[in-house]
Amino acid sequence: MKVCARTALALLALATGALAAITGSPQPPIADDEVTAIQLAEWIRDRRSGLLVVDTRPAGANTQDRLPGARPLAEFDRGAASTIDTVVVYADTRVDASIVEALRQQSRALRFLRLHGGIAAWNAEVLFPVVRSDASTRQQQRFAARAQLSRYFGGTPRRLEPGVPSGHIRSRRGC
Amino acid sequence: MSAPFITEAAPLSASLAVALLVGVGFGFALERAGLGSARKLTGQFYGRDLSVLKVMFSALLVAMLGLFWLSWLGLLDLQALYVPPTFVWPQLAGGVLFGSGLIVAGLCPGTACVSAATGRIDAVFVLLGMFVGMLVVGLLLQRWAAFFESSAHGAWTLPQLLDLPYGVIVAVVVVLALAAFFVAERIERGTR
Amino acid sequence: MSAPRQPQGYADPYLAGAALGLVLLAAFVLVGRGLGASGAFASVAAGTVALVAPEHAGASPLFAHYLGAQGPWLEWLNVELLGVLIGAWLSAALAGRVRVSIERPATLAAGARLTLAFAGGLLMAAGAVFARGCTSGQALTGGALLSVGSWLFLGVAFASAYALAPLLRKAWQ
């Protein structure tokens, strides 16, 4: 192969690699109108004023895992929104864009944010965060803050013992 | 819908059809690169022909970068991929045995299959050795079960171990691989 | 039948490697797993033992792994390796490289080459069992996933091959 083609491939690898370093995480980025579960949990814990959390799941859908203080969509009172400036909406995973649009049409003054990853992310990141037992001291220390947040909301921080088989035997083996 | 598309719940025939197709691509690429030749492959360890390093790390870079960016685009769920579990001491010991076997046989299990398919009798003997070795070690493994299962860390990745962002590790691997390619070209020029 | 012709040269290693990387990426995207080779040998060995002496098969930590679900014969890696044979033959046939032969330097007797090949296979099998994979399943697949054990394996396997290489110089020069 020509040297210039090799150089082009090498530069492509270098560019995408450097961009990866800048990006950091391979997870899809958080959109402008989204808020992470951790951020929302901190807002709720700190009793951020003007915050309203709205559950957009159909009425009667699992009321057990409702976020603390969240109102069902049906009870969302547009008139009494004078003290409210930020509305966080959530569903099981993604909030349907049409719901957000409908709310936005009715109350233009408010800022609407969607919970990134929905109730699934809330459960995984806020209520039941996991730390590996072989994590470094620094990772453990960082996890302590997460564990505190989890306990604040009545969750259970978990410790993963990676050496212990989880019971579910994967039929897959790399080689 | 995000990748992987065929999960463990999918019909076996679908995943086996993919297995066959992926295998054909795998075998074709290895043969094209010349890694079905034991002499070419062992050239790696005598500074004669560093194709092994070049092929392997080019493939690794493409797959690693592809995974990172597909995940970032939301097209692939990295959590759903099977990461081979880490067993530190057994894998270090296995690496020593495997590396020794590699230079003695001149082929690794995958390339031995490629070599055998192109008519090489020596590769067939490598495959026979692999099969007999699996039988013997498999039957004796109970005696070493404690060691076999020791120092287990499950699916354990470099970003977790080094406590660095995934993307930073990706960049470091890219830089190291490109540096290795550069050195490989120099070495080949020196021995020719 | 065409007359014997000059075999074509091999492809550029970087290009072939990039193609291999795309195959690996396709495997991840389609089935969520990477490539492999040695696992197929383990699985066929497990199937053989299960036929001849079932009580031994279940007792082995290696074989027991392959005796669940679809059984040892329909193991994903078996089918994948069958594909490898087909793909390799296809590539070699297109390039005029299929030839029944024993690949060895003139200084090495055929018997010696075959003995080394068999012994190397035995060693690699033992290594692959403890490492949970080989160059494809650990080094390449696990390497691309940044698995800690895969990179350990990759480093140690290359280092020991380099360390032993001077002793085997006669076999490969």
Side-chain angles (χ1 to χ4, degrees), chain A residues 16-48:
Chain A
T16 49
L19 276 176
I22 295 164
T23 309
S25 165
Q27 295 311 314
I30 310 287
D32 286 343
D33 69 332
E34 284 185 324
V35 59
T36 63
I38 297 289
Q39 179 73 73
L40 177 62
E42 286 169 356
W43 286 350
I44 297 175
R45 183 197 58 192
D46 301 342
R47 301 182 195 287
R48 188 189 144 118

PDB file of all heavy atoms in Angstrom, chain A residues 16-48:
ATOM      1  N   THR A  16      -9.464  10.254  15.696  1.00  0.00           N
ATOM      2  CA  THR A  16     -10.609   9.692  16.424  1.00  0.00           C
ATOM      3  C   THR A  16     -10.206   9.310  17.848  1.00  0.00           C
ATOM      4  O   THR A  16     -11.015   9.385  18.768  1.00  0.00           O
ATOM      5  CB  THR A  16     -11.196   8.476  15.694  1.00  0.00           C
ATOM      6  OG1 THR A  16     -10.137   7.583  15.356  1.00  0.00           O
ATOM      7  CG2 THR A  16     -11.936   8.883  14.442  1.00  0.00           C
ATOM      8  N   GLY A  17      -8.938   8.915  18.017  1.00  0.00           N
ATOM      9  CA  GLY A  17      -8.441   8.589  19.357  1.00  0.00           C
ATOM     10  C   GLY A  17      -8.358   9.836  20.225  1.00  0.00           C
ATOM     11  O   GLY A  17      -8.779   9.825  21.381  1.00  0.00           O
ATOM     12  N   ALA A  18      -7.828  10.914  19.658  1.00  0.00           N
ATOM     13  CA  ALA A  18      -7.709  12.153  20.422  1.00  0.00           C
ATOM     14  C   ALA A  18      -9.096  12.690  20.792  1.00  0.00           C
ATOM     15  O   ALA A  18      -9.325  13.136  21.918  1.00  0.00           O
ATOM     16  CB  ALA A  18      -6.935  13.192  19.608  1.00  0.00           C
ATOM     17  N   LEU A  19     -10.023  12.603  19.833  1.00  0.00           N
ATOM     18  CA  LEU A  19     -11.396  13.037  20.128  1.00  0.00           C
ATOM     19  C   LEU A  19     -12.019  12.187  21.231  1.00  0.00           C
ATOM     20  O   LEU A  19     -12.765  12.691  22.071  1.00  0.00           O
ATOM     21  CB  LEU A  19     -12.261  12.934  18.866  1.00  0.00           C
ATOM     22  CG  LEU A  19     -12.195  14.122  17.907  1.00  0.00           C
ATOM     23  CD1 LEU A  19     -13.015  13.831  16.668  1.00  0.00           C
ATOM     24  CD2 LEU A  19     -12.713  15.379  18.602  1.00  0.00           C
ATOM     25  N   ALA A  20     -11.676  10.894  21.233  1.00  0.00           N
ATOM     26  CA  ALA A  20     -12.194  10.012  22.286  1.00  0.00           C
ATOM     27  C   ALA A  20     -11.690  10.469  23.649  1.00  0.00           C
ATOM     28  O   ALA A  20     -12.436  10.488  24.628  1.00  0.00           O
ATOM     29  CB  ALA A  20     -11.790   8.565  22.012  1.00  0.00           C
ATOM     30  N   ALA A  21     -10.390  10.852  23.699  1.00  0.00           N
ATOM     31  CA  ALA A  21      -9.815  11.313  24.970  1.00  0.00           C
ATOM     32  C   ALA A  21     -10.531  12.568  25.450  1.00  0.00           C
ATOM     33  O   ALA A  21     -10.806  12.727  26.642  1.00  0.00           O
ATOM     34  CB  ALA A  21      -8.326  11.581  24.804  1.00  0.00           C
ATOM     35  N   ILE A  22     -10.854  13.459  24.501  1.00  0.00           N
ATOM     36  CA  ILE A  22     -11.546  14.699  24.875  1.00  0.00           C
ATOM     37  C   ILE A  22     -12.973  14.393  25.326  1.00  0.00           C
ATOM     38  O   ILE A  22     -13.473  14.941  26.299  1.00  0.00           O
ATOM     39  CB  ILE A  22     -11.542  15.688  23.688  1.00  0.00           C
ATOM     40  CG1 ILE A  22     -10.106  16.106  23.383  1.00  0.00           C
ATOM     41  CG2 ILE A  22     -12.418  16.902  23.986  1.00  0.00           C
ATOM     42  CD1 ILE A  22      -9.924  16.762  22.029  1.00  0.00           C
ATOM     43  N   THR A  23     -13.633  13.486  24.592  1.00  0.00           N
ATOM     44  CA  THR A  23     -15.013  13.112  24.926  1.00  0.00           C
ATOM     45  C   THR A  23     -15.069  12.395  26.272  1.00  0.00           C
ATOM     46  O   THR A  23     -16.000  12.599  27.044  1.00  0.00           O
ATOM     47  CB  THR A  23     -15.583  12.209  23.822  1.00  0.00           C
ATOM     48  OG1 THR A  23     -15.368  12.841  22.572  1.00  0.00           O
ATOM     49  CG2 THR A  23     -17.057  11.935  24.024  1.00  0.00           C
ATOM     50  N   GLY A  24     -14.077  11.537  26.523  1.00  0.00           N
ATOM     51  CA  GLY A  24     -14.003  10.852  27.807  1.00  0.00           C
ATOM     52  C   GLY A  24     -14.866   9.618  27.888  1.00  0.00           C
ATOM     53  O   GLY A  24     -14.374   8.507  27.837  1.00  0.00           O
ATOM     54  N   SER A  25     -16.170   9.822  27.996  1.00  0.00           N
ATOM     55  CA  SER A  25     -17.059   8.680  28.166  1.00  0.00           C
ATOM     56  C   SER A  25     -17.645   8.243  26.832  1.00  0.00           C
ATOM     57  O   SER A  25     -18.003   9.071  26.001  1.00  0.00           O
ATOM     58  CB  SER A  25     -18.197   9.047  29.108  1.00  0.00           C
ATOM     59  OG  SER A  25     -19.220   8.082  29.010  1.00  0.00           O
ATOM     60  N   PRO A  26     -17.766   6.931  26.616  1.00  0.00           N
ATOM     61  CA  PRO A  26     -18.408   6.450  25.385  1.00  0.00           C
ATOM     62  C   PRO A  26     -19.942   6.508  25.461  1.00  0.00           C
ATOM     63  O   PRO A  26     -20.609   6.175  24.489  1.00  0.00           O
ATOM     64  CB  PRO A  26     -17.920   5.004  25.276  1.00  0.00           C
ATOM     65  CG  PRO A  26     -17.635   4.590  26.678  1.00  0.00           C
ATOM     66  CD  PRO A  26     -17.240   5.824  27.433  1.00  0.00           C
ATOM     67  N   GLN A  27     -20.466   6.924  26.602  1.00  0.00           N
ATOM     68  CA  GLN A  27     -21.936   6.999  26.707  1.00  0.00           C
ATOM     69  C   GLN A  27     -22.444   8.171  25.861  1.00  0.00           C
ATOM     70  O   GLN A  27     -21.770   9.195  25.754  1.00  0.00           O
ATOM     71  CB  GLN A  27     -22.360   7.198  28.163  1.00  0.00           C
ATOM     72  CG  GLN A  27     -22.014   6.029  29.064  1.00  0.00           C
ATOM     73  CD  GLN A  27     -22.443   4.694  28.494  1.00  0.00           C
ATOM     74  OE1 GLN A  27     -23.562   4.546  28.011  1.00  0.00           O
ATOM     75  NE2 GLN A  27     -21.545   3.705  28.490  1.00  0.00           N
ATOM     76  N   PRO A  28     -23.652   8.035  25.271  1.00  0.00           N
ATOM     77  CA  PRO A  28     -24.196   9.141  24.481  1.00  0.00           C
ATOM     78  C   PRO A  28     -24.261  10.405  25.344  1.00  0.00           C
ATOM     79  O   PRO A  28     -24.572  10.328  26.529  1.00  0.00           O
ATOM     80  CB  PRO A  28     -25.603   8.659  24.115  1.00  0.00           C
ATOM     81  CG  PRO A  28     -25.560   7.183  24.260  1.00  0.00           C
ATOM     82  CD  PRO A  28     -24.543   6.882  25.314  1.00  0.00           C
ATOM     83  N   PRO A  29     -23.927  11.554  24.758  1.00  0.00           N
ATOM     84  CA  PRO A  29     -23.905  12.794  25.545  1.00  0.00           C
ATOM     85  C   PRO A  29     -25.300  13.176  26.040  1.00  0.00           C
ATOM     86  O   PRO A  29     -26.311  12.794  25.456  1.00  0.00           O
ATOM     87  CB  PRO A  29     -23.366  13.822  24.556  1.00  0.00           C
ATOM     88  CG  PRO A  29     -23.600  13.243  23.213  1.00  0.00           C
ATOM     89  CD  PRO A  29     -23.577  11.764  23.359  1.00  0.00           C
ATOM     90  N   ILE A  30     -25.322  13.946  27.120  1.00  0.00           N
ATOM     91  CA  ILE A  30     -26.574  14.440  27.681  1.00  0.00           C
ATOM     92  C   ILE A  30     -27.051  15.603  26.802  1.00  0.00           C
ATOM     93  O   ILE A  30     -26.283  16.530  26.541  1.00  0.00           O
ATOM     94  CB  ILE A  30     -26.343  14.977  29.113  1.00  0.00           C
ATOM     95  CG1 ILE A  30     -25.591  13.966  29.968  1.00  0.00           C
ATOM     96  CG2 ILE A  30     -27.655  15.406  29.762  1.00  0.00           C
ATOM     97  CD1 ILE A  30     -26.371  12.782  30.400  1.00  0.00           C
ATOM     98  N   ALA A  31     -28.306  15.544  26.369  1.00  0.00           N
ATOM     99  CA  ALA A  31     -28.829  16.617  25.516  1.00  0.00           C
ATOM    100  C   ALA A  31     -29.044  17.886  26.330  1.00  0.00           C
ATOM    101  O   ALA A  31     -29.077  17.850  27.566  1.00  0.00           O
ATOM    102  CB  ALA A  31     -30.134  16.161  24.871  1.00  0.00           C
ATOM    103  N   ASP A  32     -29.209  19.012  25.619  1.00  0.00           N
ATOM    104  CA  ASP A  32     -29.379  20.304  26.292  1.00  0.00           C
ATOM    105  C   ASP A  32     -30.627  20.346  27.162  1.00  0.00           C
ATOM    106  O   ASP A  32     -30.662  21.029  28.175  1.00  0.00           O
ATOM    107  CB  ASP A  32     -29.477  21.427  25.242  1.00  0.00           C
ATOM    108  CG  ASP A  32     -28.112  21.698  24.639  1.00  0.00           C
ATOM    109  OD1 ASP A  32     -27.111  21.275  25.253  1.00  0.00           O
ATOM    110  OD2 ASP A  32     -28.061  22.314  23.562  1.00  0.00           O
ATOM    111  N   ASP A  33     -31.675  19.612  26.727  1.00  0.00           N
ATOM    112  CA  ASP A  33     -32.918  19.652  27.501  1.00  0.00           C
ATOM    113  C   ASP A  33     -33.032  18.429  28.404  1.00  0.00           C
ATOM    114  O   ASP A  33     -34.120  17.973  28.714  1.00  0.00           O
ATOM    115  CB  ASP A  33     -34.125  19.745  26.557  1.00  0.00           C
ATOM    116  CG  ASP A  33     -34.335  18.474  25.782  1.00  0.00           C
ATOM    117  OD1 ASP A  33     -33.329  17.755  25.555  1.00  0.00           O
ATOM    118  OD2 ASP A  33     -35.491  18.163  25.424  1.00  0.00           O
ATOM    119  N   GLU A  34     -31.881  17.889  28.818  1.00  0.00           N
ATOM    120  CA  GLU A  34     -31.909  16.733  29.705  1.00  0.00           C
ATOM    121  C   GLU A  34     -31.152  17.032  30.991  1.00  0.00           C
ATOM    122  O   GLU A  34     -30.265  17.889  31.029  1.00  0.00           O
ATOM    123  CB  GLU A  34     -31.271  15.518  29.015  1.00  0.00           C
ATOM    124  CG  GLU A  34     -32.163  14.868  27.980  1.00  0.00           C
ATOM    125  CD  GLU A  34     -31.539  13.616  27.413  1.00  0.00           C
ATOM    126  OE1 GLU A  34     -30.311  13.574  27.243  1.00  0.00           O
ATOM    127  OE2 GLU A  34     -32.278  12.666  27.128  1.00  0.00           O
ATOM    128  N   VAL A  35     -31.494  16.294  32.034  1.00  0.00           N
ATOM    129  CA  VAL A  35     -30.783  16.405  33.304  1.00  0.00           C
ATOM    130  C   VAL A  35     -30.453  14.974  33.749  1.00  0.00           C
ATOM    131  O   VAL A  35     -31.230  14.051  33.519  1.00  0.00           O
ATOM    132  CB  VAL A  35     -31.638  17.166  34.352  1.00  0.00           C
ATOM    133  CG1 VAL A  35     -32.959  16.458  34.596  1.00  0.00           C
ATOM    134  CG2 VAL A  35     -30.885  17.345  35.665  1.00  0.00           C
ATOM    135  N   THR A  36     -29.272  14.776  34.353  1.00  0.00           N
ATOM    136  CA  THR A  36     -28.910  13.424  34.781  1.00  0.00           C
ATOM    137  C   THR A  36     -29.625  13.085  36.090  1.00  0.00           C
ATOM    138  O   THR A  36     -30.043  13.990  36.839  1.00  0.00           O
ATOM    139  CB  THR A  36     -27.392  13.287  35.015  1.00  0.00           C
ATOM    140  OG1 THR A  36     -27.036  14.175  36.078  1.00  0.00           O
ATOM    141  CG2 THR A  36     -26.609  13.627  33.772  1.00  0.00           C
ATOM    142  N   ALA A  37     -29.731  11.799  36.363  1.00  0.00           N
ATOM    143  CA  ALA A  37     -30.411  11.356  37.578  1.00  0.00           C
ATOM    144  C   ALA A  37     -29.700  11.885  38.819  1.00  0.00           C
ATOM    145  O   ALA A  37     -30.349  12.316  39.775  1.00  0.00           O
ATOM    146  CB  ALA A  37     -30.474   9.821  37.600  1.00  0.00           C
ATOM    147  N   ILE A  38     -28.361  11.862  38.797  1.00  0.00           N
ATOM    148  CA  ILE A  38     -27.584  12.330  39.949  1.00  0.00           C
ATOM    149  C   ILE A  38     -27.858  13.821  40.203  1.00  0.00           C
ATOM    150  O   ILE A  38     -28.110  14.240  41.333  1.00  0.00           O
ATOM    151  CB  ILE A  38     -26.076  12.121  39.698  1.00  0.00           C
ATOM    152  CG1 ILE A  38     -25.772  10.635  39.551  1.00  0.00           C
ATOM    153  CG2 ILE A  38     -25.236  12.748  40.799  1.00  0.00           C
ATOM    154  CD1 ILE A  38     -25.888   9.845  40.827  1.00  0.00           C
ATOM    155  N   GLN A  39     -27.832  14.592  39.107  1.00  0.00           N
ATOM    156  CA  GLN A  39     -28.076  16.039  39.236  1.00  0.00           C
ATOM    157  C   GLN A  39     -29.462  16.309  39.809  1.00  0.00           C
ATOM    158  O   GLN A  39     -29.613  17.105  40.748  1.00  0.00           O
ATOM    159  CB  GLN A  39     -27.945  16.681  37.840  1.00  0.00           C
ATOM    160  CG  GLN A  39     -28.198  18.172  37.829  1.00  0.00           C
ATOM    161  CD  GLN A  39     -27.060  18.947  38.460  1.00  0.00           C
ATOM    162  OE1 GLN A  39     -25.991  19.076  37.875  1.00  0.00           O
ATOM    163  NE2 GLN A  39     -27.274  19.435  39.660  1.00  0.00           N
ATOM    164  N   LEU A  40     -30.453  15.595  39.302  1.00  0.00           N
ATOM    165  CA  LEU A  40     -31.822  15.769  39.789  1.00  0.00           C
ATOM    166  C   LEU A  40     -31.918  15.377  41.262  1.00  0.00           C
ATOM    167  O   LEU A  40     -32.561  16.066  42.063  1.00  0.00           O
ATOM    168  CB  LEU A  40     -32.801  14.938  38.944  1.00  0.00           C
ATOM    169  CG  LEU A  40     -34.252  14.989  39.403  1.00  0.00           C
ATOM    170  CD1 LEU A  40     -34.802  16.414  39.327  1.00  0.00           C
ATOM    171  CD2 LEU A  40     -35.127  14.043  38.582  1.00  0.00           C
ATOM    172  N   ALA A  41     -31.245  14.272  41.622  1.00  0.00           N
ATOM    173  CA  ALA A  41     -31.279  13.818  43.016  1.00  0.00           C
ATOM    174  C   ALA A  41     -30.706  14.892  43.935  1.00  0.00           C
ATOM    175  O   ALA A  41     -31.243  15.155  45.020  1.00  0.00           O
ATOM    176  CB  ALA A  41     -30.493  12.520  43.161  1.00  0.00           C
ATOM    177  N   GLU A  42     -29.622  15.540  43.487  1.00  0.00           N
ATOM    178  CA  GLU A  42     -29.025  16.589  44.312  1.00  0.00           C
ATOM    179  C   GLU A  42     -29.964  17.795  44.435  1.00  0.00           C
ATOM    180  O   GLU A  42     -30.089  18.381  45.507  1.00  0.00           O
ATOM    181  CB  GLU A  42     -27.670  17.004  43.723  1.00  0.00           C
ATOM    182  CG  GLU A  42     -26.610  15.947  43.992  1.00  0.00           C
ATOM    183  CD  GLU A  42     -25.325  16.177  43.225  1.00  0.00           C
ATOM    184  OE1 GLU A  42     -25.269  17.127  42.412  1.00  0.00           O
ATOM    185  OE2 GLU A  42     -24.383  15.401  43.431  1.00  0.00           O
ATOM    186  N   TRP A  43     -30.652  18.109  43.335  1.00  0.00           N
ATOM    187  CA  TRP A  43     -31.627  19.208  43.395  1.00  0.00           C
ATOM    188  C   TRP A  43     -32.728  18.901  44.406  1.00  0.00           C
ATOM    189  O   TRP A  43     -33.086  19.742  45.227  1.00  0.00           O
ATOM    190  CB  TRP A  43     -32.274  19.434  42.015  1.00  0.00           C
ATOM    191  CG  TRP A  43     -31.362  20.107  41.029  1.00  0.00           C
ATOM    192  CD1 TRP A  43     -30.159  20.686  41.289  1.00  0.00           C
ATOM    193  CD2 TRP A  43     -31.614  20.276  39.625  1.00  0.00           C
ATOM    194  NE1 TRP A  43     -29.629  21.197  40.135  1.00  0.00           N
ATOM    195  CE2 TRP A  43     -30.492  20.973  39.097  1.00  0.00           C
ATOM    196  CE3 TRP A  43     -32.646  19.917  38.757  1.00  0.00           C
ATOM    197  CZ2 TRP A  43     -30.392  21.306  37.747  1.00  0.00           C
ATOM    198  CZ3 TRP A  43     -32.560  20.256  37.423  1.00  0.00           C
ATOM    199  CH2 TRP A  43     -31.436  20.941  36.916  1.00  0.00           C
ATOM    200  N   ILE A  44     -33.244  17.680  44.344  1.00  0.00           N
ATOM    201  CA  ILE A  44     -34.341  17.315  45.248  1.00  0.00           C
ATOM    202  C   ILE A  44     -33.842  17.344  46.691  1.00  0.00           C
ATOM    203  O   ILE A  44     -34.489  17.887  47.589  1.00  0.00           O
ATOM    204  CB  ILE A  44     -34.912  15.929  44.884  1.00  0.00           C
ATOM    205  CG1 ILE A  44     -35.517  15.956  43.478  1.00  0.00           C
ATOM    206  CG2 ILE A  44     -35.963  15.495  45.907  1.00  0.00           C
ATOM    207  CD1 ILE A  44     -35.989  14.597  42.978  1.00  0.00           C
ATOM    208  N   ARG A  45     -32.653  16.767  46.911  1.00  0.00           N
ATOM    209  CA  ARG A  45     -32.095  16.717  48.264  1.00  0.00           C
ATOM    210  C   ARG A  45     -31.866  18.135  48.800  1.00  0.00           C
ATOM    211  O   ARG A  45     -32.169  18.434  49.955  1.00  0.00           O
ATOM    212  CB  ARG A  45     -30.767  15.945  48.247  1.00  0.00           C
ATOM    213  CG  ARG A  45     -30.135  15.779  49.624  1.00  0.00           C
ATOM    214  CD  ARG A  45     -28.689  15.407  49.512  1.00  0.00           C
ATOM    215  NE  ARG A  45     -27.923  16.413  48.746  1.00  0.00           N
ATOM    216  CZ  ARG A  45     -26.691  16.222  48.312  1.00  0.00           C
ATOM    217  NH1 ARG A  45     -26.097  15.063  48.504  1.00  0.00           N
ATOM    218  NH2 ARG A  45     -26.065  17.181  47.646  1.00  0.00           N
ATOM    219  N   ASP A  46     -31.352  19.001  47.955  1.00  0.00           N
ATOM    220  CA  ASP A  46     -31.057  20.371  48.390  1.00  0.00           C
ATOM    221  C   ASP A  46     -32.298  21.264  48.397  1.00  0.00           C
ATOM    222  O   ASP A  46     -32.183  22.470  48.632  1.00  0.00           O
ATOM    223  CB  ASP A  46     -29.974  20.980  47.490  1.00  0.00           C
ATOM    224  CG  ASP A  46     -28.694  20.168  47.522  1.00  0.00           C
ATOM    225  OD1 ASP A  46     -28.549  19.362  48.473  1.00  0.00           O
ATOM    226  OD2 ASP A  46     -27.875  20.302  46.602  1.00  0.00           O
ATOM    227  N   ARG A  47     -33.456  20.668  48.115  1.00  0.00           N
ATOM    228  CA  ARG A  47     -34.735  21.399  48.092  1.00  0.00           C
ATOM    229  C   ARG A  47     -34.635  22.648  47.219  1.00  0.00           C
ATOM    230  O   ARG A  47     -34.969  23.759  47.654  1.00  0.00           O
ATOM    231  CB  ARG A  47     -35.179  21.769  49.506  1.00  0.00           C
ATOM    232  CG  ARG A  47     -35.332  20.543  50.363  1.00  0.00           C
ATOM    233  CD  ARG A  47     -35.816  20.832  51.758  1.00  0.00           C
ATOM    234  NE  ARG A  47     -35.607  19.681  52.604  1.00  0.00           N
ATOM    235  CZ  ARG A  47     -36.329  18.572  52.536  1.00  0.00           C
ATOM    236  NH1 ARG A  47     -37.335  18.466  51.687  1.00  0.00           N
ATOM    237  NH2 ARG A  47     -36.072  17.546  53.307  1.00  0.00           N
ATOM    238  N   ARG A  48     -34.136  22.468  46.064  1.00  0.00           N
ATOM    239  CA  ARG A  48     -33.994  23.561  45.099  1.00  0.00           C
ATOM    240  C   ARG A  48     -35.349  24.218  44.882  1.00  0.00           C
ATOM    241  O   ARG A  48     -36.344  23.543  44.586  1.00  0.00           O
ATOM    242  CB  ARG A  48     -33.463  22.996  43.791  1.00  0.00           C
ATOM    243  CG  ARG A  48     -33.099  24.026  42.760  1.00  0.00           C
ATOM    244  CD  ARG A  48     -32.792  23.329  41.454  1.00  0.00           C
ATOM    245  NE  ARG A  48     -33.250  24.137  40.354  1.00  0.00           N
ATOM    246  CZ  ARG A  48     -32.465  24.642  39.422  1.00  0.00           C
ATOM    247  NH1 ARG A  48     -31.187  24.344  39.422  1.00  0.00           N
ATOM    248  NH2 ARG A  48     -32.954  25.400  38.471  1.00  0.00           N
TER     249      ARG A  48
END
